[in-house]
Amino acid sequence: MANLPPSFPFSNASSSNDPKLSAAEQLVLDICDPELRENALHELSKKREIFHDLAPLLWHSVSTVSALLQEITSVYYFLSPPTMTAAQSNRVCNALALFQCVASHPETRMPFLRAQMPLYLYAFLNTSSKSRPFEYLRLTSLGVIGALVKVDDAEVIKFLLKTEIIPLCLRTMESGSELSKTVATFIVQKILLDHDGLEYMCVTADRFYALGRVLGNMVSSLAEAPSPRLLKHIVRCYLRLTDNTRACIALKDCLPDLLSNTTFNSCLYDDPSAMQWLQQLLHNIRVRQPHGLENMFVV
């Protein structure tokens, strides 16, 4: 019933009730049964950390990924107008949690990426409803992308740069919950830390200033409601931008004053690395001098 490598003991299973199957194997098989799928998704997402090699099991078993995609695409209709219920959101998020498991595993990460699976999540990131079901859906979708970028891999970044992930993350950074903003900013940070990602964001003034505007707005918001974790990712993004000559020069004029005074000293007090990044950011901007118009953005 499943077409798996020999290392998976249920590769020759003929029944979803085979007593020789482990709990994880049985639940993976249950995903393909519409009557058992909801419970299987719930149990697997809840216990995915304790099931050994669940990701290869999900990826290689016959029809399992198709069933997960069916779960994801089945709610597209409820995105606009935003009528998705909490129950529908929870069920889809359970499927997305399994995608995150696949995206995190070294054996399945690249096959998952090459099959362009992340594109199925972009419809969720493009929503604007602030209701809890939609926010949960966006956060879980961001978690899948975050799992891909967590391990530094140039091929992952190259793929993402060919998609709409940057504007989708910027959208979340502007209007999402604190947790969604944090994950979206982390994704942007990881993209910037890649050579091609930094080049992409700084090749035109429009891209640089779009990012700078969103980062600046978040800094202003954090002055009223501090979040050390989110601020740390923002500072790291700014610091990485200073590695590009034109961006560093531009930051002399558009870096928020809140970062150069003592506003966030108490917020970062318990995080020496974040405080060091902030000091390095300010130093880089201070010492970098323009050397002709070729180093300036053309607006």
Side-chain angles (χ1 to χ4, degrees):
M1 194 162 181
N3 183 20
L4 298 176
S7 57
F8 293 106
F10 80 117
S11 58
N12 294 319
S14 58
S15 169
S16 61
N17 296 314
D18 190 328
K20 296 180 181 179
L21 301 184
S22 71
E25 293 166 345
Q26 183 64 64
L27 288 169
V28 169
L29 287 176
D30 288 349
I31 289 176
C32 294
D33 186 333
E35 297 297 320
L36 303 175
R37 184 179 299 165
E38 183 172 6
N39 177 69
L41 293 173
H42 174 72
E43 290 298 319
L44 284 170
S45 64
K46 184 172 64 174
K47 301 175 181 177
R48 63 187 185 277
E49 300 296 334
I50 64 174
F51 287 144
H52 181 63
D53 280 339
L54 175 60
L57 208 57
L58 291 166
W59 187 255
H60 293 294
S61 56
V62 170
S63 299
T64 301
V65 173
S66 296
L68 293 176
L69 284 176
Q70 186 179 50
E71 286 294 310
I72 289 168
T73 58
S74 67
V75 298
Y76 283 177
Y77 177 80
F78 303 101
L79 300 181
S80 182
T83 56
M84 185 172 53
T85 66
Q88 289 172 319
S89 176
N90 288 337
R91 179 162 171 164
V92 176
C93 285
N94 286 336
L96 290 172
L98 299 185
F99 265 8
Q100 181 173 344
C101 177
V102 174
S104 302
H105 196 283
E107 181 180 327
T108 53
R109 181 185 304 111
M110 296 317 298
F112 178 83
L113 187 75
R114 290 164 187 160
Q116 302 191 44
M117 292 296 172
L119 299 184
Y120 288 96
L121 316 185
Y122 286 9
F124 303 144
L125 298 179
N126 203 32
T127 58
S128 57
S129 172
K130 294 184 179 295
S131 67
R132 188 169 182 177
F134 282 85
E135 178 59 31
Y136 186 30
L137 193 59
R138 284 191 295 270
L139 178 60
T140 312
S141 299
L142 287 167
V144 178
I145 309 300
L148 286 172
V149 301
K150 191 172 184 179
V151 177
D152 298 328
D153 190 315
E155 187 173 345
V156 171
I157 304 302
K158 285 185 191 327
F159 171 84
L160 292 176
L161 290 177
K162 295 176 182 177
T163 72
E164 293 298 304
I165 193 59
I166 292 290
L168 289 172
C169 281
L170 293 182
R171 179 175 185 157
T172 301
M173 290 159 66
E174 283 189 298
S175 60
S177 67
E178 178 186 323
L179 191 52
S180 289
K181 287 181 178 180
T182 302
V183 180
T185 309
F186 168 76
I187 293 169
V188 171
Q189 171 191 317
K190 295 296 285 185
I191 290 174
L192 285 172
L193 288 173
D194 178 84
H195 175 271
D196 289 343
L198 179 63
E199 186 70 20
Y200 176 90
M201 289 307 305
C202 298
V203 72
T204 68
D206 285 347
R207 289 179 186 172
F208 168 79
Y209 284 113
L211 174 59
R213 179 181 58 80
V214 172
L215 291 174
N217 289 342
M218 285 199 295
V219 169
S220 298
S221 298
L222 288 177
E224 301 175 4
S227 168
R229 182 168 54 169
L230 176 54
L231 181 60
K232 181 176 184 177
H233 291 310
I234 292 171
V235 169
R236 189 66 185 93
C237 286
Y238 273 126
L239 177 57
R240 177 56 173 163
L241 286 172
T242 65
D243 289 333
N244 178 277
T245 300
R246 293 190 301 170
C248 187
I249 294 169
L251 284 174
K252 284 178 175 288
D253 296 320
C254 65
L255 186 75
D257 292 337
L258 291 168
L259 289 176
S260 57
N261 56 36
T262 60
T263 301
F264 292 112
N265 283 4
S266 59
C267 183
L268 298 179
Y269 180 80
D270 293 325
D271 193 335
S273 62
M275 185 65 78
Q276 183 178 5
W277 288 345
L278 178 57
Q279 295 305 316
Q280 186 65 50
L281 163 64
L282 298 176
H283 171 77
N284 290 355
I285 293 174
R286 188 166 53 247
V287 301
R288 183 64 60 88
Q289 298 295 329
H291 297 288
L293 293 177
E294 72 276 4
N295 291 322
M296 304 299 290
F297 282 117
V298 178
V299 181

